[in-house]
Amino acid sequence: YYLTLKDAVADAKDEDTIQILTDYTDSSDVSIDKTLTFDTNGKTLTRDNSIIINEDITFTIIGAGKITSSTASMNLFKVYGNLYIGIDEDNFTGTLSRTNDADDTQYIVLGYEGSNIFVNGGTFTATNRGFYTVGSIIYNKGTTSVTGPFAVQVAENGTGTFNGGSITSANDTAFRHNSTGEVVLNGTTITAPNGFAINSNRTVDSVNETGKLTINKGTITTGKTNQIYGDFILSGGTLRATPPTDSTDSIGVVSFY
């Protein structure tokens, strides 16, 4: 066995599986430079700096354990390559969470240009900011919940396909699409009882550059009128506008700009 994740990664061979054997806090610098599977094995790994997944590398998380942070100002995962959270819908039933302050701007998973994030299960929690990508995200199953803004954000030139699971912000915007790329919703439940369920808005120098948003299926419940600035296709699903109980504002389902 190894005392740090860094040592385990260094000694592993391509396509090996690393399994956590006990709950522990690890502060080693970890950069994933080979294709690996990480079995959380029902245990808790607490990190105080990011796990970095290098370009063209695939890292897969499985098991029923937990990976969390002990400090506010860090992204739990920084992805330049490929991150699979579960191989399929049954492989990861654990939790990724992040300790954060109300004002910090870090994420549970941060995807850079060229990255690919696949979410196939699990629970994801933070005060603010769950998933952020300027690459690609495919969200098949899972529960992402934040208190403040942006449970999921697809930005810059990023793209996303959301086939299931749920995305929730208790008090702010649940889903932010400020990308020139296309986002397709095929069955995800998006809920923001006190904010925007969807804010699809990218403007640069007062010029709209928002990409296409397509909703084929799913349930979207918003406490404020959803804002859509780019191309919008609605072919199915349920959209509800339910203002907060303490609000006297009149709201609609969608505003187009």
Side-chain angles (χ1 to χ4, degrees), residues 176-190:
R176 181 80 191 276
H177 171 215
N178 58 325
S179 161
T180 61
E182 183 174 7
V183 167
V184 180
L185 304 179
N186 290 324
T188 301
T189 298
I190 302 176

Side-chain angles (χ1 to χ4, degrees), residues 39-196:
D39 182 0
T40 57
N41 191 34
K43 310 301 182 184
T44 297
L45 170 64
T46 303
R47 296 278 305 166
D48 61 12
N49 57 15
S50 303
I51 296 174
I52 300 170
I53 302 168
N54 291 350
E55 188 176 353
D56 297 325
I57 295 299
T58 297
F59 187 69
T60 303
I61 304 169
I62 62 173
K66 181 177 184 178
I67 305 175
T68 188
S69 68
S70 61
T71 184
S73 57
M74 60 169 279
N75 299 291
L76 190 60
F77 286 91
K78 297 169 73 171
V79 184
Y80 295 87
N82 308 304
L83 173 63
Y84 282 81
I85 304 174
I87 301 169
D88 56 35
E89 294 187 0
D90 299 315
N91 286 109
F92 182 68
T93 57
T95 299
L96 304 184
S97 69
R98 200 174 69 80
T99 300
N100 58 323
D101 299 327
D103 296 328
D104 90 59
T105 56
Q106 313 303 310
Y107 291 81
I108 299 172
V109 177
L110 174 63
Y112 290 86
E113 185 176 358
S115 66
N116 298 289
I117 300 166
F118 302 87
V119 183
N120 293 313
T123 300
F124 312 95
T125 61
T127 303
N128 301 327
R129 297 177 167 82
F131 292 87
Y132 175 100
T133 186
V134 300
S136 167
I137 182 169
I138 298 177
Y139 191 105
N140 292 318
K141 185 179 179 182
T143 300
T144 302
S145 302
V146 299
T147 303
F150 312 147
V152 174
Q153 183 173 2
V154 181
E156 297 186 14
N157 300 311
T159 61
T161 302
F162 297 80
N163 298 317
S166 66
I167 296 168
T168 302
S169 170
N171 295 316
D172 210 300
T173 301
F175 186 93
R176 181 80 191 276
H177 171 215
N178 58 325
S179 161
T180 61
E182 183 174 7
V183 167
V184 180
L185 304 179
N186 290 324
T188 301
T189 298
I190 302 176
T191 306
N194 296 291
F196 302 109

Side-chain angles (χ1 to χ4, degrees), residues 180-253:
T180 61
E182 183 174 7
V183 167
V184 180
L185 304 179
N186 290 324
T188 301
T189 298
I190 302 176
T191 306
N194 296 291
F196 302 109
I198 298 174
N199 185 342
S200 186
N201 173 10
R202 176 180 171 85
T203 56
V204 178
D205 296 329
S206 301
V207 177
N208 174 47
E209 293 187 356
T210 309
K212 182 189 293 185
L213 173 65
T214 300
I215 302 176
N216 296 318
K217 188 179 178 182
T219 300
I220 297 161
T221 304
T222 191
K224 293 183 178 180
T225 305
N226 295 305
Q227 296 183 333
I228 308 296
Y229 278 71
D231 295 335
F232 179 58
I233 297 174
L234 176 64
S235 64
T238 300
L239 280 70
R240 300 190 183 103
T242 306
T245 56
D246 60 350
S247 173
T248 59
D249 294 340
S250 179
I251 69 168
V253 175

Side-chain angles (χ1 to χ4, degrees), residues 1-13 18 24 26 28-31 34 47:
Y1 65 90
Y2 302 87
L3 297 179
T4 68
L5 182 57
K6 179 180 180 178
D7 290 343
V9 169
D11 205 37
K13 298 178 176 60
I18 295 172
Y24 80 111
D26 179 53
S28 64
D29 294 328
V30 176
S31 183
K34 62 200 76 173
R47 296 278 305 166

